[in-house]
């Protein structure tokens, strides 16, 4: 399991790319803990080439891993810490351990006064 820490300003996005295994029945899920209202998480729409510009003309092989992109955005006005746990699971088997996990610790910087 990889753990990464980032600092975001209010309304700043961060793109996270994770390898998917959808052909094997796995999907990425996420859970936000800590200051859960400090961030939003959404899956970015998939591009036809799987978000890899080098593979724009290449066809994907059946069963090949596919990169998934998730956008984490700090919510204004800022301030707080959230932990996002991504888990790669197979929904038909809820008692099965995740195939892979990734933890993103996010610190959202508070807006400072000025002008």
């Amino acid at each position: 399991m990889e753990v990464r820490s980032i600092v975001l300003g209010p309304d700043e996005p961060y793109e996270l790319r994770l390898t998917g295994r959808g052909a094997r029945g796995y999907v990425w899920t996420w859970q936000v803990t800590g200051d859960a209202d400090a961030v939003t998480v959404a899956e970015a729409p998939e591009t036809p080439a799987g978000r890899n510009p080098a593979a724009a003309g290449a066809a994907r092989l059946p069963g090949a891993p596919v990169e998934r992109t998730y956008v984490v955005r700090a919510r204004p006005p800022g301030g707080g810490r959230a932990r996002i746990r991504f888990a790669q699971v197979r929904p038909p088997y809820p008692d099965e351990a995740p195939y892979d996990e990734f933890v993103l610790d996010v610190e959202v910087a508070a807006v400072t006064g000025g002008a």
Side-chain angles (χ1 to χ4, degrees):
M1 170 175 49
E2 183 180 345
V3 178
R4 186 178 304 165
S5 296
I6 61 170
V7 177
L8 298 175
D11 207 34
E12 183 179 357
Y14 177 79
E15 282 194 3
L16 175 65
R17 291 180 176 87
L18 298 172
T19 301
R21 290 173 179 77
R24 296 182 184 154
Y26 288 94
V27 297
W28 283 103
T29 61
W30 63 86
Q31 179 180 17
V32 182
T33 57
D35 296 324
D37 58 345
V39 296
T40 61
V41 182
E43 185 172 1
E46 184 180 348
T47 62
R51 299 196 63 88
N52 181 355
R60 245 186 265 157
L61 296 174
V66 176
E67 190 174 78
R68 297 287 183 206
T69 302
Y70 299 88
V71 178
V72 176
R73 184 176 298 272
R75 296 180 67 187
R81 294 180 182 272
R83 173 169 269 204
I84 307 165
R85 178 183 170 267
F86 291 87
Q88 197 170 41
V89 298
R90 293 193 298 176
Y93 307 100
D95 295 331
E96 186 177 81
Y99 179 83
D100 198 4
E101 292 180 285
F102 185 92
V103 173
L104 186 64
D105 286 326
V106 182
E107 179 182 341
V108 179
V111 175
T112 57

